[in-house]
Amino acid sequence: QVQLVESGGGSVQAGGSLKVSCAASGVSAYIFGHCAMGWDRQAPGKERELVSSINSEGTTSYAESVKGRFTISRDKAKNTVHLQMNSLQTDDTAVYYCVSAGGYYCEGWGQGTQVTVSS
């Protein structure tokens, strides 16, 4: 199965930008290319929610709360997925998890990376 490791979290003031990345290992680039990838987040006291996803064909989707501010992308050759977050708000503070799906070898999630947005 795929193993996922996030990086790039941190602290930023409201209105700022951060980019979080996810590196996949344990599967070939061919298999990774067929996995649907996404980013979940969980804020303290709130349920985990899907923020954005990208399928094997590059079709993307976003939660309403982040549309126009976040951009997901993937590099199949490098087995990586990125989430560029602009115009960050305090409500974006959460642990962000990289997730993958689409069959046994694609099922996985990372340990998470903290994103903190201060006012």
Side-chain angles (χ1 to χ4, degrees), residues 15-75:
S17 298
L18 277 176
K19 183 177 183 179
V20 290
S21 298
C22 173
S25 62
V27 294
S28 66
Y30 174 80
I31 290 177
F32 175 76
H34 287 78
C35 300
M37 303 299 299
W39 289 91
D40 286 353
R41 69 183 180 187
Q42 186 163 26
K46 294 186 178 180
E47 292 188 356
R48 191 155 162 168
E49 64 170 339
L50 177 64
V51 174
S52 181
S53 66
I54 183 168
N55 67 13
S56 59
E57 297 177 350
T59 301
T60 59
S61 66
Y62 299 91
E64 283 296 324
S65 59
V66 306
K67 276 184 180 178
R69 301 188 297 120
F70 290 11
T71 303
I72 191 170
S73 62
R74 68 189 298 171
D75 186 332

Short mmCIF file of all heavy atoms in Angstrom, two decimals, residues 15-75:
data_model
loop_
_atom_site.label_atom_id
_atom_site.label_comp_id
_atom_site.label_asym_id
_atom_site.label_seq_id
_atom_site.Cartn_x
_atom_site.Cartn_y
_atom_site.Cartn_z
N GLY A 15 -4.50 36.10 5.80
CA GLY A 15 -4.19 36.75 4.53
C GLY A 15 -2.95 36.21 3.86
O GLY A 15 -2.70 36.48 2.68
N GLY A 16 -2.17 35.44 4.60
CA GLY A 16 -0.93 34.90 4.07
C GLY A 16 -1.15 33.60 3.29
O GLY A 16 -2.28 33.17 3.07
N SER A 17 -0.03 33.00 2.90
CA SER A 17 -0.07 31.79 2.07
C SER A 17 0.84 30.71 2.66
O SER A 17 1.85 31.02 3.30
CB SER A 17 0.40 32.10 0.65
OG SER A 17 -0.44 33.03 0.02
N LEU A 18 0.48 29.49 2.40
CA LEU A 18 1.30 28.33 2.75
C LEU A 18 1.09 27.28 1.67
O LEU A 18 0.03 27.23 1.04
CB LEU A 18 0.91 27.74 4.10
CG LEU A 18 1.45 28.36 5.38
CD1 LEU A 18 0.83 27.65 6.59
CD2 LEU A 18 2.97 28.28 5.43
N LYS A 19 2.09 26.44 1.51
CA LYS A 19 1.96 25.31 0.60
C LYS A 19 2.32 24.05 1.37
O LYS A 19 3.37 23.96 1.98
CB LYS A 19 2.90 25.47 -0.59
CG LYS A 19 2.79 24.37 -1.64
CD LYS A 19 3.72 24.66 -2.81
CE LYS A 19 3.61 23.64 -3.91
NZ LYS A 19 4.51 23.96 -5.06
N VAL A 20 1.40 23.10 1.38
CA VAL A 20 1.68 21.81 1.99
C VAL A 20 1.86 20.78 0.88
O VAL A 20 1.22 20.86 -0.17
CB VAL A 20 0.57 21.38 2.97
CG1 VAL A 20 0.59 22.24 4.22
CG2 VAL A 20 -0.79 21.40 2.31
N SER A 21 2.76 19.85 1.12
CA SER A 21 3.09 18.85 0.12
C SER A 21 2.97 17.45 0.71
O SER A 21 3.06 17.26 1.93
CB SER A 21 4.50 19.07 -0.40
OG SER A 21 4.60 20.33 -1.04
N CYS A 22 2.79 16.49 -0.18
CA CYS A 22 2.65 15.10 0.22
C CYS A 22 3.50 14.25 -0.71
O CYS A 22 3.36 14.33 -1.93
CB CYS A 22 1.18 14.71 0.12
SG CYS A 22 0.83 12.96 0.39
N ALA A 23 4.37 13.47 -0.12
CA ALA A 23 5.21 12.56 -0.88
C ALA A 23 4.72 11.14 -0.69
O ALA A 23 4.56 10.69 0.45
CB ALA A 23 6.66 12.69 -0.45
N ALA A 24 4.49 10.44 -1.78
CA ALA A 24 4.01 9.06 -1.73
C ALA A 24 5.14 8.10 -2.01
O ALA A 24 5.97 8.33 -2.88
CB ALA A 24 2.89 8.87 -2.74
N SER A 25 5.14 7.01 -1.28
CA SER A 25 6.13 5.96 -1.51
C SER A 25 5.47 4.61 -1.34
O SER A 25 4.32 4.52 -0.91
CB SER A 25 7.31 6.11 -0.54
OG SER A 25 6.87 5.96 0.80
N GLY A 26 6.19 3.56 -1.70
CA GLY A 26 5.67 2.21 -1.54
C GLY A 26 4.91 1.70 -2.74
O GLY A 26 4.52 0.53 -2.76
N VAL A 27 4.69 2.57 -3.72
CA VAL A 27 4.03 2.14 -4.95
C VAL A 27 4.76 2.76 -6.13
O VAL A 27 5.45 3.78 -5.99
CB VAL A 27 2.55 2.56 -5.00
CG1 VAL A 27 1.74 1.85 -3.94
CG2 VAL A 27 2.40 4.07 -4.90
N SER A 28 4.62 2.16 -7.28
CA SER A 28 5.27 2.68 -8.47
C SER A 28 4.59 3.96 -8.94
O SER A 28 3.45 4.26 -8.56
CB SER A 28 5.23 1.64 -9.58
OG SER A 28 3.89 1.43 -9.99
N ALA A 29 5.28 4.70 -9.76
CA ALA A 29 4.70 5.91 -10.33
C ALA A 29 3.47 5.56 -11.16
O ALA A 29 2.50 6.33 -11.21
CB ALA A 29 5.73 6.63 -11.18
N TYR A 30 3.46 4.39 -11.77
CA TYR A 30 2.31 3.96 -12.58
C TYR A 30 1.07 3.81 -11.70
O TYR A 30 -0.01 4.31 -12.02
CB TYR A 30 2.62 2.65 -13.29
CG TYR A 30 1.44 2.06 -14.02
CD1 TYR A 30 1.07 2.55 -15.27
CD2 TYR A 30 0.67 1.04 -13.44
CE1 TYR A 30 -0.02 2.02 -15.95
CE2 TYR A 30 -0.43 0.53 -14.11
CZ TYR A 30 -0.76 1.01 -15.36
OH TYR A 30 -1.84 0.49 -16.02
N ILE A 31 1.24 3.12 -10.56
CA ILE A 31 0.11 2.94 -9.65
C ILE A 31 -0.31 4.27 -9.04
O ILE A 31 -1.49 4.61 -8.98
CB ILE A 31 0.45 1.91 -8.55
CG1 ILE A 31 0.54 0.52 -9.15
CG2 ILE A 31 -0.60 1.95 -7.44
CD1 ILE A 31 0.95 -0.56 -8.18
N PHE A 32 0.69 5.06 -8.58
CA PHE A 32 0.36 6.35 -7.99
C PHE A 32 -0.44 7.21 -8.95
O PHE A 32 -1.38 7.90 -8.56
CB PHE A 32 1.63 7.08 -7.58
CG PHE A 32 1.39 8.48 -7.07
CD1 PHE A 32 0.90 8.69 -5.81
CD2 PHE A 32 1.66 9.58 -7.87
CE1 PHE A 32 0.67 9.97 -5.33
CE2 PHE A 32 1.43 10.87 -7.41
CZ PHE A 32 0.93 11.06 -6.14
N GLY A 33 -0.09 7.13 -10.22
CA GLY A 33 -0.80 7.93 -11.21
C GLY A 33 -2.27 7.58 -11.33
O GLY A 33 -3.06 8.39 -11.81
N HIS A 34 -2.64 6.40 -10.90
CA HIS A 34 -4.03 5.96 -10.96
C HIS A 34 -4.79 6.21 -9.65
O HIS A 34 -5.98 5.92 -9.57
CB HIS A 34 -4.11 4.48 -11.34
CG HIS A 34 -3.79 4.24 -12.78
ND1 HIS A 34 -2.50 4.23 -13.26
CD2 HIS A 34 -4.59 4.03 -13.86
CE1 HIS A 34 -2.52 4.00 -14.56
NE2 HIS A 34 -3.76 3.89 -14.96
N CYS A 35 -4.09 6.68 -8.63
CA CYS A 35 -4.73 6.95 -7.35
C CYS A 35 -5.39 8.31 -7.36
O CYS A 35 -4.84 9.27 -7.91
CB CYS A 35 -3.71 6.91 -6.21
SG CYS A 35 -2.84 5.36 -5.99
N ALA A 36 -6.55 8.39 -6.73
CA ALA A 36 -7.15 9.69 -6.45
C ALA A 36 -6.51 10.22 -5.17
O ALA A 36 -6.36 9.48 -4.19
CB ALA A 36 -8.65 9.55 -6.27
N MET A 37 -6.12 11.49 -5.19
CA MET A 37 -5.44 12.08 -4.05
C MET A 37 -6.24 13.24 -3.50
O MET A 37 -7.02 13.88 -4.22
CB MET A 37 -4.05 12.59 -4.47
CG MET A 37 -3.15 11.54 -5.08
SD MET A 37 -2.80 10.19 -3.95
CE MET A 37 -1.96 11.07 -2.62
N GLY A 38 -6.05 13.49 -2.22
CA GLY A 38 -6.79 14.60 -1.65
C GLY A 38 -6.19 15.08 -0.35
O GLY A 38 -5.21 14.51 0.15
N TRP A 39 -6.79 16.14 0.16
CA TRP A 39 -6.40 16.71 1.44
C TRP A 39 -7.63 16.83 2.33
O TRP A 39 -8.63 17.44 1.92
CB TRP A 39 -5.76 18.09 1.25
CG TRP A 39 -4.41 18.05 0.63
CD1 TRP A 39 -4.12 18.11 -0.70
CD2 TRP A 39 -3.16 17.90 1.30
NE1 TRP A 39 -2.76 18.02 -0.90
CE2 TRP A 39 -2.14 17.89 0.32
CE3 TRP A 39 -2.78 17.78 2.64
CZ2 TRP A 39 -0.78 17.77 0.64
CZ3 TRP A 39 -1.43 17.66 2.95
CH2 TRP A 39 -0.45 17.65 1.96
N ASP A 40 -7.54 16.23 3.51
CA ASP A 40 -8.54 16.41 4.56
C ASP A 40 -7.96 17.39 5.57
O ASP A 40 -6.74 17.60 5.62
CB ASP A 40 -8.80 15.09 5.30
CG ASP A 40 -9.62 14.12 4.50
OD1 ASP A 40 -10.10 14.49 3.42
OD2 ASP A 40 -9.76 12.97 4.96
N ARG A 41 -8.83 17.92 6.41
CA ARG A 41 -8.33 18.68 7.54
C ARG A 41 -9.26 18.48 8.74
O ARG A 41 -10.44 18.18 8.57
CB ARG A 41 -8.22 20.18 7.22
CG ARG A 41 -9.55 20.90 7.03
CD ARG A 41 -9.31 22.35 6.64
NE ARG A 41 -10.57 23.06 6.45
CZ ARG A 41 -10.65 24.30 5.98
NH1 ARG A 41 -9.54 24.98 5.65
NH2 ARG A 41 -11.83 24.89 5.85
N GLN A 42 -8.67 18.64 9.91
CA GLN A 42 -9.46 18.54 11.13
C GLN A 42 -9.04 19.63 12.09
O GLN A 42 -7.87 19.68 12.50
CB GLN A 42 -9.32 17.16 11.79
CG GLN A 42 -10.25 16.98 12.98
CD GLN A 42 -10.42 15.54 13.37
OE1 GLN A 42 -9.56 14.70 13.11
NE2 GLN A 42 -11.55 15.23 14.00
N ALA A 43 -9.98 20.47 12.43
CA ALA A 43 -9.75 21.53 13.38
C ALA A 43 -10.17 21.06 14.77
O ALA A 43 -11.01 20.17 14.88
CB ALA A 43 -10.53 22.77 12.97
N PRO A 44 -9.63 21.65 15.81
CA PRO A 44 -10.00 21.25 17.17
C PRO A 44 -11.50 21.35 17.39
O PRO A 44 -12.12 22.37 17.08
CB PRO A 44 -9.24 22.25 18.04
CG PRO A 44 -8.09 22.67 17.20
CD PRO A 44 -8.60 22.69 15.79
N GLY A 45 -12.10 20.28 17.89
CA GLY A 45 -13.52 20.27 18.19
C GLY A 45 -14.42 20.15 16.99
O GLY A 45 -15.65 20.22 17.12
N LYS A 46 -13.85 19.95 15.82
CA LYS A 46 -14.65 19.84 14.60
C LYS A 46 -14.42 18.50 13.92
O LYS A 46 -13.41 17.84 14.16
CB LYS A 46 -14.32 20.98 13.64
CG LYS A 46 -14.69 22.36 14.15
CD LYS A 46 -14.45 23.41 13.08
CE LYS A 46 -14.86 24.79 13.56
NZ LYS A 46 -14.63 25.82 12.51
N GLU A 47 -15.36 18.12 13.07
CA GLU A 47 -15.21 16.88 12.33
C GLU A 47 -14.21 17.06 11.19
O GLU A 47 -14.02 18.15 10.67
CB GLU A 47 -16.56 16.44 11.77
CG GLU A 47 -17.56 16.02 12.83
CD GLU A 47 -18.81 15.41 12.24
OE1 GLU A 47 -18.94 15.38 11.00
OE2 GLU A 47 -19.66 14.95 13.00
N ARG A 48 -13.63 15.94 10.82
CA ARG A 48 -12.70 15.96 9.70
C ARG A 48 -13.48 16.22 8.42
O ARG A 48 -14.57 15.69 8.22
CB ARG A 48 -12.00 14.61 9.63
CG ARG A 48 -10.82 14.53 8.69
CD ARG A 48 -9.88 13.43 9.16
NE ARG A 48 -8.96 12.99 8.15
CZ ARG A 48 -7.91 12.21 8.39
NH1 ARG A 48 -7.69 11.78 9.62
NH2 ARG A 48 -7.10 11.85 7.41
N GLU A 49 -12.90 17.04 7.54
CA GLU A 49 -13.59 17.38 6.30
C GLU A 49 -12.62 17.28 5.12
O GLU A 49 -11.42 17.52 5.26
CB GLU A 49 -14.18 18.79 6.36
CG GLU A 49 -13.16 19.90 6.49
CD GLU A 49 -13.74 21.29 6.32
OE1 GLU A 49 -14.82 21.42 5.72
OE2 GLU A 49 -13.09 22.26 6.76
N LEU A 50 -13.18 16.93 3.96
CA LEU A 50 -12.40 16.88 2.74
C LEU A 50 -12.27 18.30 2.20
O LEU A 50 -13.27 18.97 1.95
CB LEU A 50 -13.06 15.97 1.71
CG LEU A 50 -12.39 15.90 0.34
CD1 LEU A 50 -10.99 15.28 0.45
CD2 LEU A 50 -13.24 15.09 -0.63
N VAL A 51 -11.05 18.75 2.01
CA VAL A 51 -10.79 20.10 1.54
C VAL A 51 -10.71 20.14 0.02
O VAL A 51 -11.28 21.02 -0.62
CB VAL A 51 -9.48 20.63 2.15
CG1 VAL A 51 -9.12 21.98 1.57
CG2 VAL A 51 -9.60 20.71 3.67
N SER A 52 -9.98 19.19 -0.54
CA SER A 52 -9.76 19.20 -1.98
C SER A 52 -9.34 17.82 -2.44
O SER A 52 -8.78 17.04 -1.66
CB SER A 52 -8.67 20.22 -2.33
OG SER A 52 -8.45 20.27 -3.73
N SER A 53 -9.59 17.51 -3.71
CA SER A 53 -9.17 16.24 -4.27
C SER A 53 -8.79 16.42 -5.74
O SER A 53 -9.20 17.40 -6.39
CB SER A 53 -10.26 15.19 -4.13
OG SER A 53 -11.39 15.54 -4.90
N ILE A 54 -8.02 15.45 -6.22
CA ILE A 54 -7.63 15.45 -7.63
C ILE A 54 -7.58 14.00 -8.07
O ILE A 54 -6.99 13.15 -7.40
CB ILE A 54 -6.28 16.16 -7.84
CG1 ILE A 54 -5.92 16.23 -9.32
CG2 ILE A 54 -5.16 15.55 -7.01
CD1 ILE A 54 -4.75 17.18 -9.63
N ASN A 55 -8.23 13.70 -9.17
CA ASN A 55 -8.26 12.31 -9.60
C ASN A 55 -7.12 12.01 -10.57
O ASN A 55 -6.27 12.87 -10.84
CB ASN A 55 -9.62 11.94 -10.19
CG ASN A 55 -9.92 12.64 -11.50
OD1 ASN A 55 -9.04 13.24 -12.12
ND2 ASN A 55 -11.17 12.57 -11.93
N SER A 56 -7.10 10.80 -11.09
CA SER A 56 -6.00 10.39 -11.95
C SER A 56 -5.94 11.17 -13.25
O SER A 56 -4.88 11.24 -13.88
CB SER A 56 -6.12 8.89 -12.24
OG SER A 56 -7.34 8.61 -12.89
N GLU A 57 -7.06 11.75 -13.65
CA GLU A 57 -7.09 12.52 -14.89
C GLU A 57 -6.82 14.01 -14.67
O GLU A 57 -6.83 14.78 -15.62
CB GLU A 57 -8.45 12.34 -15.58
CG GLU A 57 -8.70 10.91 -16.00
CD GLU A 57 -10.08 10.72 -16.61
OE1 GLU A 57 -10.90 11.64 -16.54
OE2 GLU A 57 -10.33 9.63 -17.16
N GLY A 58 -6.64 14.37 -13.39
CA GLY A 58 -6.34 15.77 -13.09
C GLY A 58 -7.55 16.63 -12.78
O GLY A 58 -7.42 17.84 -12.57
N THR A 59 -8.73 16.00 -12.72
CA THR A 59 -9.93 16.74 -12.36
C THR A 59 -9.90 17.06 -10.87
O THR A 59 -9.65 16.17 -10.05
CB THR A 59 -11.18 15.93 -12.69
OG1 THR A 59 -11.19 15.64 -14.10
CG2 THR A 59 -12.44 16.70 -12.33
N THR A 60 -10.16 18.31 -10.54
CA THR A 60 -10.06 18.75 -9.15
C THR A 60 -11.42 19.11 -8.57
O THR A 60 -12.37 19.41 -9.30
CB THR A 60 -9.14 19.97 -9.04
OG1 THR A 60 -9.69 21.03 -9.85
CG2 THR A 60 -7.74 19.66 -9.52
N SER A 61 -11.51 19.06 -7.26
CA SER A 61 -12.70 19.51 -6.56
C SER A 61 -12.29 20.18 -5.26
O SER A 61 -11.21 19.88 -4.72
CB SER A 61 -13.66 18.35 -6.29
OG SER A 61 -13.09 17.46 -5.37
N TYR A 62 -13.13 21.08 -4.78
CA TYR A 62 -12.82 21.85 -3.58
C TYR A 62 -14.05 22.02 -2.71
O TYR A 62 -15.17 22.12 -3.20
CB TYR A 62 -12.31 23.25 -3.97
CG TYR A 62 -11.05 23.24 -4.79
CD1 TYR A 62 -11.10 23.23 -6.18
CD2 TYR A 62 -9.80 23.23 -4.18
CE1 TYR A 62 -9.94 23.20 -6.95
CE2 TYR A 62 -8.63 23.21 -4.93
CZ TYR A 62 -8.71 23.19 -6.31
OH TYR A 62 -7.56 23.16 -7.05
N ALA A 63 -13.82 22.08 -1.41
CA ALA A 63 -14.88 22.45 -0.50
C ALA A 63 -15.25 23.91 -0.77
O ALA A 63 -14.38 24.71 -1.16
CB ALA A 63 -14.42 22.28 0.94
N GLU A 64 -16.52 24.24 -0.54
CA GLU A 64 -16.97 25.60 -0.81
C GLU A 64 -16.16 26.63 -0.03
O GLU A 64 -15.89 27.73 -0.53
CB GLU A 64 -18.45 25.73 -0.45
CG GLU A 64 -19.40 25.12 -1.47
CD GLU A 64 -19.35 25.81 -2.83
OE1 GLU A 64 -19.17 27.04 -2.86
OE2 GLU A 64 -19.47 25.11 -3.85
N SER A 65 -15.75 26.26 1.16
CA SER A 65 -15.06 27.20 2.03
C SER A 65 -13.67 27.59 1.53
O SER A 65 -13.11 28.59 1.99
CB SER A 65 -14.95 26.62 3.45
OG SER A 65 -14.24 25.40 3.42
N VAL A 66 -13.11 26.81 0.60
CA VAL A 66 -11.75 27.10 0.13
C VAL A 66 -11.68 27.41 -1.35
O VAL A 66 -10.61 27.73 -1.88
CB VAL A 66 -10.78 25.94 0.45
CG1 VAL A 66 -10.82 25.59 1.93
CG2 VAL A 66 -11.07 24.71 -0.40
N LYS A 67 -12.81 27.33 -2.03
CA LYS A 67 -12.82 27.61 -3.47
C LYS A 67 -12.28 29.01 -3.76
O LYS A 67 -12.64 29.97 -3.08
CB LYS A 67 -14.24 27.47 -4.03
CG LYS A 67 -14.62 26.06 -4.38
CD LYS A 67 -16.01 26.02 -5.01
CE LYS A 67 -16.40 24.60 -5.38
NZ LYS A 67 -17.77 24.55 -5.95
N GLY A 68 -11.42 29.08 -4.77
CA GLY A 68 -10.84 30.37 -5.13
C GLY A 68 -9.62 30.74 -4.32
O GLY A 68 -8.92 31.71 -4.66
N ARG A 69 -9.35 30.00 -3.24
CA ARG A 69 -8.20 30.31 -2.39
C ARG A 69 -7.15 29.20 -2.40
O ARG A 69 -5.96 29.45 -2.30
CB ARG A 69 -8.65 30.55 -0.95
CG ARG A 69 -9.65 31.68 -0.78
CD ARG A 69 -9.92 32.00 0.69
NE ARG A 69 -10.52 30.90 1.41
CZ ARG A 69 -9.99 30.31 2.47
NH1 ARG A 69 -8.81 30.71 2.94
NH2 ARG A 69 -10.63 29.32 3.08
N PHE A 70 -7.61 27.96 -2.51
CA PHE A 70 -6.71 26.81 -2.48
C PHE A 70 -6.60 26.19 -3.87
O PHE A 70 -7.58 26.18 -4.63
CB PHE A 70 -7.22 25.74 -1.52
CG PHE A 70 -7.15 26.09 -0.06
CD1 PHE A 70 -6.87 27.37 0.38
CD2 PHE A 70 -7.37 25.09 0.90
CE1 PHE A 70 -6.81 27.68 1.73
CE2 PHE A 70 -7.31 25.38 2.25
CZ PHE A 70 -7.04 26.68 2.66
N THR A 71 -5.43 25.65 -4.17
CA THR A 71 -5.21 24.97 -5.43
C THR A 71 -4.46 23.67 -5.19
O THR A 71 -3.38 23.67 -4.58
CB THR A 71 -4.40 25.84 -6.40
OG1 THR A 71 -5.07 27.08 -6.62
CG2 THR A 71 -4.23 25.12 -7.75
N ILE A 72 -5.05 22.57 -5.65
CA ILE A 72 -4.40 21.27 -5.52
C ILE A 72 -3.73 20.91 -6.85
O ILE A 72 -4.23 21.26 -7.93
CB ILE A 72 -5.43 20.17 -5.13
CG1 ILE A 72 -4.72 18.88 -4.74
CG2 ILE A 72 -6.45 19.95 -6.23
CD1 ILE A 72 -5.66 17.83 -4.11
N SER A 73 -2.59 20.25 -6.74
CA SER A 73 -1.88 19.82 -7.95
C SER A 73 -1.12 18.54 -7.63
O SER A 73 -0.91 18.20 -6.47
CB SER A 73 -0.91 20.91 -8.42
OG SER A 73 0.08 21.17 -7.44
N ARG A 74 -0.73 17.83 -8.69
CA ARG A 74 0.03 16.60 -8.48
C ARG A 74 1.11 16.50 -9.54
O ARG A 74 0.95 16.99 -10.65
CB ARG A 74 -0.88 15.37 -8.51
CG ARG A 74 -1.49 15.04 -9.86
CD ARG A 74 -2.53 13.94 -9.74
NE ARG A 74 -1.97 12.68 -9.26
CZ ARG A 74 -2.71 11.63 -8.90
NH1 ARG A 74 -4.03 11.70 -8.95
NH2 ARG A 74 -2.13 10.53 -8.47
N ASP A 75 2.19 15.85 -9.16
CA ASP A 75 3.28 15.57 -10.08
C ASP A 75 3.43 14.05 -10.10
O ASP A 75 4.02 13.47 -9.18
CB ASP A 75 4.56 16.25 -9.61
CG ASP A 75 5.71 16.13 -10.59
OD1 ASP A 75 5.72 15.13 -11.34
OD2 ASP A 75 6.59 16.99 -10.60
#
